[in-house]
Amino acid sequence: MERKPIIGITSTILDIEIKGEVNPSVQTNHQYVKAVIEIGGIPIVLPVANAEMAREYIDLCDGIIFASGEDVTPTKYNETPSKELQQTNLARDEMELPLVQYAVENKIPILGTCRGLGVINVALGGSMKQNIVTEESEFSHNQEVSRKLPSHEITIEEDSHLFQMLGTKKAKVNSKHHQAINEVADCLRVAATAEDGVIEAIEARDKDAFILGLQFHPEELYAADTHMLNLLMLFREACEK
């Protein structure tokens, strides 16, 4: 019996109060764990540590999911924090940014959602918009309904790897973010956009590398959307290789 691929999932540190005592805890959305199990992988939650530990994670994992969470610290893309910036986690950035770089160097497949898209882009030389204005758009990028429901449509570039994975030029996605990509890293390309021009997906220019960043959350949509399930299954297949 072949071993299932081990897929690391990044996490954050959440202070949980128990009987009046604050306990820093490892936290990631359990939906990532469920999704990895569903596609036939072994989920491993990767605690926030340091760049040295990130190298150890690379040796452990066949693929890595960069999960959602805090804003990427603007100094990591040479900007001063704006007043619209929300919570950041420098310790997490200082582990995850090298983790992206090590994964790319070692040809480990990576998938990023929401914050994860930003982490991949910044780690490889791109930058972020610290806060996007959505009032002039026909839809909000911070939907009020559950993330398990789509809220708007994206357009997928027909020559992209993402188009090959989904087999469609249009897809319905969920949306829970206030940041977006500004400058795309040179080794990446835009794979999909929203109607207002916000970048919804980036991928490697190198067709042989599985590097995919998504502004949306396929781990929340796959149960009701076969396109999203197929995307996750192809990520697992890349991890198997």
Side-chain angles (χ1 to χ4, degrees), residues 45-152:
V45 177
L46 307 178
V48 176
N50 51 42
E52 289 74 21
M53 185 58 68
R55 290 189 183 276
E56 301 292 339
Y57 290 158
I58 290 297
D59 292 337
L60 174 68
C61 297
D62 300 306
I64 299 172
I65 294 175
F66 289 85
S68 57
E70 304 93 341
D71 293 351
V72 179
T73 306
T75 54
K76 293 299 183 181
Y77 47 93
N78 300 316
E79 287 191 12
T80 301
S82 73
K83 63 181 181 180
E84 291 87 7
L85 186 70
Q86 296 183 12
Q87 184 177 2
T88 61
N89 186 330
L90 183 59
R92 185 175 179 185
D93 295 335
E94 291 185 341
M95 187 199 79
E96 290 187 13
L97 297 176
L99 186 59
V100 170
Q101 296 161 357
Y102 300 153
V104 172
E105 291 170 6
N106 288 274
K107 303 186 186 307
I108 302 294
I110 56 176
L111 172 66
T113 71
C114 202
R115 167 191 159 86
L117 166 139
V119 168
I120 291 171
N121 188 52
V122 171
L124 299 178
S127 66
M128 302 298 292
K129 296 177 181 178
Q130 293 188 42
N131 191 56
I132 56 175
V133 178
T134 59
E135 286 79 2
E136 297 179 0
S137 177
E138 294 182 359
F139 54 83
S140 170
H141 286 283
N142 192 10
Q143 67 188 54
E144 296 181 0
V145 298
S146 167
R147 286 193 297 188
K148 295 189 182 300
L149 299 173
S151 64
H152 70 82

Side-chain angles (χ1 to χ4, degrees), residues 2-224:
E2 293 186 2
R3 178 178 68 81
K4 295 179 179 180
I6 296 173
I7 299 176
I9 304 166
T10 62
S11 65
T12 191
I13 302 169
L14 183 67
D15 287 340
I16 297 177
E17 185 173 336
I18 301 176
K19 295 182 178 180
E21 182 177 354
V22 175
N23 294 274
S25 302
V26 175
Q27 191 274 336
T28 197
N29 189 337
H30 188 61
Q31 195 63 33
Y32 290 108
V33 174
K34 291 173 63 177
V36 169
I37 293 172
E38 176 68 25
I39 62 177
I42 299 173
I44 300 291
V45 177
L46 307 178
V48 176
N50 51 42
E52 289 74 21
M53 185 58 68
R55 290 189 183 276
E56 301 292 339
Y57 290 158
I58 290 297
D59 292 337
L60 174 68
C61 297
D62 300 306
I64 299 172
I65 294 175
F66 289 85
S68 57
E70 304 93 341
D71 293 351
V72 179
T73 306
T75 54
K76 293 299 183 181
Y77 47 93
N78 300 316
E79 287 191 12
T80 301
S82 73
K83 63 181 181 180
E84 291 87 7
L85 186 70
Q86 296 183 12
Q87 184 177 2
T88 61
N89 186 330
L90 183 59
R92 185 175 179 185
D93 295 335
E94 291 185 341
M95 187 199 79
E96 290 187 13
L97 297 176
L99 186 59
V100 170
Q101 296 161 357
Y102 300 153
V104 172
E105 291 170 6
N106 288 274
K107 303 186 186 307
I108 302 294
I110 56 176
L111 172 66
T113 71
C114 202
R115 167 191 159 86
L117 166 139
V119 168
I120 291 171
N121 188 52
V122 171
L124 299 178
S127 66
M128 302 298 292
K129 296 177 181 178
Q130 293 188 42
N131 191 56
I132 56 175
V133 178
T134 59
E135 286 79 2
E136 297 179 0
S137 177
E138 294 182 359
F139 54 83
S140 170
H141 286 283
N142 192 10
Q143 67 188 54
E144 296 181 0
V145 298
S146 167
R147 286 193 297 188
K148 295 189 182 300
L149 299 173
S151 64
H152 70 82
E153 192 171 67
I154 62 172
T155 301
I156 302 166
E157 299 294 326
E158 292 189 43
D159 61 345
S160 68
H161 188 199
L162 182 62
F163 178 82
Q164 295 175 355
M165 286 189 282
L166 297 182
T168 180
K169 188 174 180 179
K170 300 286 186 179
K172 292 284 189 179
V173 300
N174 47 18
S175 196
K176 282 278 189 181
H177 63 100
H178 81 105
Q179 292 196 316
I181 286 180
N182 184 20
E183 295 181 355
V184 181
D186 289 343
C187 64
L188 303 173
R189 55 158 293 177
V190 176
T193 55
E195 293 176 17
D196 60 356
V198 166
I199 296 171
E200 292 282 339
I202 53 173
E203 63 183 34
R205 292 187 180 277
D206 179 359
K207 294 288 187 178
D208 294 328
F210 195 107
I211 303 172
L212 183 62
L214 306 173
Q215 189 66 84
F216 51 94
H217 295 264
E219 78 282 358
E220 299 281 2
L221 296 172
Y222 73 87

